[in-house]
DNA sequence: AAGTAAGGTTACGCGCGAGTAGGTAGACTG
DNA sequence: CAGTCTACCTACTCGCGCGTAACCTTACTT
């Protein structure tokens, strides 16, 4: 039943999805949906919760403690792309639909995203500590911003992956790791990019 | 009048925005809106067109020909973040609202995004050519994927920037350039990241 | 066989908002 | 001053879709 809801939500979007269609696709009648899961918003929230839980599970299950940050990031990224490739509809609901609309659900999704960003940030911080980088080189929020950028790159590559079914999740993961880790490794060693001289205007 | 529409659309989202509210905020009555710009979809499209045009203009106006790829990318990125920081509502409409819903507008926005991605890809390609990288090292689509990742990182940093008004666009640009150019410079020199040995499962 | 509870269904109420019909006020024409 | 044209508004229609009231059916009890 949640499967039917996820399908319809992913195809139509939250507003355009009608409870009638969801009920029909689930093979039951509308009042039953209301009986089990309350309002439309509740139903959508339930979908989000389930998909978010699955995604979270897919990622955390491969990230064993004690591994090197690089290895953990690789595994997590890999698990992420693998999951998305297999749960296109779920991802579509989570990412495309649940972002933006006024308040009710965005919080749920934003929370999960923040968790991912913080996990990535923690990995970066560990990697930095391992390399013995001094604090002043990289401010506190700096790491969070970097993690944000990486996650954004991942999201964008996800769209790419879904639009190019011939690409494998592994290759996509490797691309992201290349961008991320190679860029980081330079920064970690103190090699930073500086804007060219002169005012840009 | 488009200003009013952009305001309301950005606050409420496309579906939740009512023509009454837009008309009221514009200081005119509803039939006038229909007289000038047809349906609600047409109005939204007009908003998107204008904002997209402005964004495009802001970026292309600083990217003079003949500069080094690095310099061009820096200028473009800088212009992008600067624009977004000053046109929050416009960005919100373009990015948060117009992505995803079924077809009618997503095409308009997707087109612009694709243009940006291709521009970035072209810069990367030029940079590679300048460094004398051989084709086989990086396949054709590879560059596009990379550009996609960079653009995604930029989008994500945009959200970050909007959530942290104390951050300056320049700093954000520098962060992105660090991630991008430093990562690229490694890859350009043939240093690529390889997954650790052993099956990931 | 009558009572009743569980697990469904059909068919409706009702609000909301896109789009419109028809009217009004002023400016311009002969 | 009658005609009419422009520019705009008030007040409506109408469809859509969420949520629900009332009804039906099957199985189980006494």
């Amino acid at each position: 039943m949640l499967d039917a809801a996820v399908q319809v939500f992913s195809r139509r979007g939250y507003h355009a999805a009608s409870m009638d269609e969801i009920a029909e696709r689930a093979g039951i009648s509308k009042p039953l949906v209301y009986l089990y899961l309350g309002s439309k918003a509740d139903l959508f929230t339930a979908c989000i919760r389930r998909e978010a839980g699955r995604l979270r599970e897919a990622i955390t299950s491969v990230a064993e403690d004690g591994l090197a940050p690089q290895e953990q990031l690789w595994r997590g990224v890999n698990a992420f792309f693998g999951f998305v490739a297999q749960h296109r509809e779920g991802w579509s609901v989570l990412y495309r639909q649940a972002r933006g609309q006024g308040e009710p659900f965005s919080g749920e999704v934003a929370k999960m995203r923040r968790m991912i960003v913080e996990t990535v940030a923690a990995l970066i911080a560990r990697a930095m500590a391992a390399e013995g980088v001094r604090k002043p080189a990289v401010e506190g929020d700096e790491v969070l911003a970097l993690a944000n950028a990486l996650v954004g790159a991942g999201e964008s590559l996800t769209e790419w992956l879904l639009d190019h079914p011939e690409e494998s999740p592994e290759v996509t993961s490797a691309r992201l790791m290349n961008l991320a880790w190679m860029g980081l490794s330079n920064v970690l060693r103190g090699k930073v990019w500086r804007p060219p001289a002169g005012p840009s205007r």
Side-chain angles (χ1 to χ4, degrees), chain A:
Chain A
M1 161 158 166
L2 281 179
D3 292 334
V6 168
Q7 273 187 30
V8 176
F9 279 134
S10 82
R11 259 192 257 285
R12 311 276 189 221
Y14 175 72
H15 288 281
S18 82
M19 293 300 266
D20 296 84
E21 183 176 357
I22 292 174
E24 186 188 11
R25 184 169 288 259
I28 58 180
S29 71
K30 202 166 39 152
L32 266 199
V33 180
Y34 283 88
L35 181 62
Y36 288 140
L37 288 167
S39 71
K40 183 181 186 180
D42 291 339
L43 173 59
F44 193 63
T45 305
C47 289
I48 292 191
R49 285 236 170 78
R50 191 182 67 161
E51 298 302 322
R54 285 180 172 176
L55 176 56
R56 179 189 196 133
E57 167 62 20
I59 295 182
T60 55
S61 71
V62 298
E64 295 153 23
D65 282 353
L67 294 172
Q70 170 175 350
E71 172 85 14
Q72 283 190 327
L73 189 57
W74 161 250
R75 289 192 176 202
V77 167
N78 221 12
F80 173 78
F81 284 120
F83 176 87
V84 169
Q86 281 190 332
H87 297 75
R88 296 171 172 244
E89 286 157 341
W91 169 257
S92 175
V93 168
L94 272 181
Y95 181 72
R96 286 181 161 141
Q97 313 303 339
R99 296 254 254 129
Q101 7 261 68
E103 312 305 299
F105 334 104
S106 50
E108 203 72 28
V109 174
K111 216 168 58 185
M112 188 193 61
R113 188 184 196 274
R114 210 170 309 135
M115 189 202 64
I116 295 184
V117 169
E118 273 160 15
T119 305
V120 173
L123 288 179
I124 297 178
R126 271 187 58 204
M128 282 171 50
E131 297 262 348
V133 180
R134 297 151 306 285
K135 261 286 164 63
V138 182
E139 296 289 329
D141 274 0
E142 194 80 15
V143 175
L144 269 180
L146 216 57
N148 243 291
L150 286 187
V151 171
E155 286 164 348
S156 189
L157 282 177
T158 301
E159 301 292 320
W160 167 273
L161 180 61
L162 293 183
D163 285 350
H164 295 75
E166 75 278 7
E167 302 276 359
S168 80
E170 282 78 16
V171 171
T172 310
S173 308
R175 283 202 253 257
L176 181 55
M177 288 300 287
N178 254 308
L179 183 66
W181 211 253
M182 295 314 249
L184 274 183
S185 69
N186 260 337
V187 177
L188 289 182
R189 287 176 199 125
K191 289 180 61 180
V192 295
W193 184 90
R194 291 251 170 258
S200 62
R201 283 205 180 212

